[in-house]
Amino acid sequence: MLTVIIPAYNEADNILITSETICQILEDNQIEYELIFIDDGSKDDTFEKIKCANQLMQNIKGYKFSRNFGKEMAISAGLNFSKGECCAVLDCDLQHPPEILVDMYNKWLEGYKIIEGIKVNRGKEPVIYKFFSKIFYNIIYKLTKLDLCNSSDFKLLDRQVVDIIKKMPERRPFFRAMSFWCGFKSTKMEYEVKERKYGMTKWNFQGLFRYALSNITSFSSAPLQIVTILGVIFMILSAYLGSVTLYKYFMGAAVEGFSTVILLLLIMGGALMTSLGTIGYYIGKIYDEIKLRPKYIIEDQINA
Ligand code: UDP
Ligand code: MG
C-alpha cells in the first residue's frame, strides 16, 4: 500500500480537487493507497473539507493540529501515522503533479528506496527568491556535501527509510535533507512545478530566511568553527599590530592613531558579538531539544 501524505495549511479550496485528482490517478493505475491530510492548524475550514473528502472517499484520513506547527511537523506527523509499505509526500496545491506519483511508485517497485522529486523549473517565483535559494543550497552543499539543489519535499520513500526518519527525534526536522542523509538506493525524478491551484503561498522572505538559518545550523556546526577561525585571525592581527607599535615605541616614534584604536575596538566588538550570537543560536537549539516537548498536538482526527 502507498501512503500519500499531504500537509495543508489554509487550503480549504484545494482539499477536494486535490484529493479527487490523486485518488482518481491512483485508482486508474490500480495502486492500493491511503491518503493522509495533516491540517496544520488552519484558520479556514480546511478540516471540514477534509471531512467532506472522507465522506466521498473512504481511504482518506485526516489529522488536525491544535495550532500551526509548520510544514516540517505536518510531514513528520504524516510519516508517524502512515501504514503503507511506501510513503509519498506532496503539496496540497497541486504544484507537485500527482501523475508523477505513479512513476515514482513504479520506481519503488523496481527496488529504489528513495525517489526524489527534482524541480526542472521553480515555478512563478520572484528573482530574489531564486537568487537566495541558490545561495542557500550552495552553503548547504559546501558545509554538508548534501546536494539539495532544486530538491523539494515531493518524494516517495520506502518503509525502511520512513522508519529511520521516524526515529530521528529532532524538534526542527529538515525533511528534504533527512531522507538524503539516510543513504540507500535512490533515484531522481524531474517534474515541472505547476501553478498553485487556489490560494496563496505561505512563505515570505523573513520566513524563508529563518528556515534557511535553522536548516543550515541543524545540519552543520561549521558556523561555530568559522567563529573560532575568526578569533585566530584577530589574534594574529593583534599580535602583529602589537609588535609594530612596540617597535615604534622603542624607536622613539610617537604612537598615534586614536581613530585606529576606536576602529579596532568596533571591529573587535562586532566580531565578538557575532561570535556570541552564533554560539547563542546553537545553545537555543539545544535548549529547544532538551525541553522534550511534543513535536505537535493533535486536536482532532478523521478515520484514524
Ligand atoms: N504548509 C503547511 N504548513 C505551513 C505552511 C505550508 O502545512 O505552515 C503546506 C501548504 O498547505 C502546502 C505546502 O505546505 O500544502 C507548501 O506550501 P506553499 O504552497 O505555501 O509553499 P510553496 O509551494 O510556495 O513553496
Ligand atoms: Mg505551493
Side-chain angles (χ1 to χ4, degrees):
M1 184 174 67
L2 163 69
T3 302
V4 180
I5 298 161
I6 308 177
Y9 178 51
N10 293 343
E11 302 278 10
D13 294 336
N14 285 321
I15 298 288
L16 283 173
I17 176 146
T18 301
S19 49
E20 267 169 22
T21 315
I22 296 174
C23 292
Q24 189 69 54
I25 290 172
L26 295 177
E27 272 159 30
D28 287 350
N29 287 279
Q30 280 138 22
I31 298 173
E32 203 194 328
Y33 69 93
E34 63 170 352
L35 219 132
I36 302 183
F37 278 104
I38 309 288
D39 176 357
D40 187 10
S42 298
K43 296 193 175 64
D44 62 1
D45 45 359
T46 296
F47 200 64
E48 278 62 47
K49 287 284 156 65
I50 299 174
K51 274 185 193 158
C52 294
N54 165 254
Q55 262 144 31
L56 296 172
M57 289 155 281
Q58 286 81 42
N59 316 11
I60 295 182
K61 298 175 179 182
Y63 295 85
K64 182 181 171 57
F65 282 179
S66 61
R67 66 168 171 84
N68 182 245
F69 280 87
K71 183 184 178 184
E72 293 286 342
M73 286 307 170
I75 295 175
S76 216
L79 293 175
N80 283 339
F81 297 128
S82 68
K83 300 241 160 60
E85 286 88 49
C86 58
C87 296
V89 176
L90 78 168
D91 283 0
C92 194
D93 49 13
L94 291 177
Q95 283 195 294
H96 298 157
E99 315 81 74
I100 307 276
L101 269 182
V102 180
D103 303 332
M104 286 182 158
Y105 185 78
N106 289 334
K107 280 280 175 203
W108 175 72
L109 290 178
E110 280 174 31
Y112 290 97
K113 302 250 160 150
I114 300 174
I115 297 104
E116 300 273 350
I118 300 285
K119 304 175 202 166
V120 279
N121 64 329
R122 294 189 57 93
K124 272 196 180 163
E125 201 181 43
V127 184
I128 184 127
Y129 280 25
K130 288 185 190 176
F131 173 70
F132 278 110
S133 82
K134 215 167 201 166
I135 294 183
F136 168 61
Y137 287 128
N138 265 326
I139 294 178
I140 288 268
Y141 182 70
K142 288 258 156 60
L143 298 185
T144 65
K145 292 287 165 280
L146 294 173
D147 181 11
L148 300 182
C149 193
N150 287 337
S151 69
S152 65
D153 293 325
F154 183 26
K155 51 184 102 234
L156 190 144
L157 307 175
D158 182 78
R159 168 63 37 197
Q160 206 178 350
V161 181
V162 172
D163 286 343
I164 293 171
I165 294 181
K166 271 166 67 178
K167 281 195 202 126
M168 297 184 187
E170 48 237 71
R171 254 122 265 276
R172 303 254 185 100
F174 183 27
F175 177 60
R176 223 170 276 192
M178 278 154 75
S179 58
F180 245 107
W181 180 90
C182 292
F184 292 105
K185 189 177 173 193
S186 63
T187 182
K188 293 177 176 178
M189 190 155 281
E190 295 194 330
Y191 70 94
E192 275 187 34
V193 180
K194 300 262 174 63
E195 256 191 63
R196 196 172 225 288
K197 203 78 194 167
Y198 298 108
M200 293 222 303
T201 174
K202 312 294 175 317
W203 290 103
N204 54 27
F205 192 76
Q206 197 190 352
L208 283 171
F209 182 75
R210 242 189 270 137
Y211 182 71
L213 205 63
S214 163
N215 291 331
I216 290 170
T217 47
S218 281
F219 266 79
S220 166
S221 54
L224 287 174
Q225 283 140 25
I226 294 172
V227 164
T228 317
I229 294 169
L230 207 73
V232 173
I233 293 175
F234 273 109
M235 259 173 54
I236 295 171
L237 271 177
S238 50
Y240 169 74
L241 269 176
S243 35
V244 169
T245 317
L246 250 156
Y247 175 76
K248 278 192 178 164
Y249 177 76
F250 284 121
M251 297 307 283
V255 181
E256 282 173 26
F258 177 69
S259 40
T260 318
V261 174
I262 296 289
L263 199 69
L264 276 178
L265 264 175
L266 284 177
I267 293 174
M268 284 300 292
L272 274 174
M273 293 225 194
T274 318
S275 313
L276 272 178
T278 311
I279 298 167
Y281 192 84
Y282 277 94
I283 294 177
K285 291 196 85 152
I286 299 171
Y287 179 57
D288 265 356
E289 296 289 339
I290 59 163
K291 273 193 283 190
L292 287 181
R293 288 195 185 159
K295 287 195 200 176
Y296 48 79
I297 301 164
I298 303 288
E299 183 186 317
D300 202 353
Q301 50 197 45
I302 311 163
N303 193 15

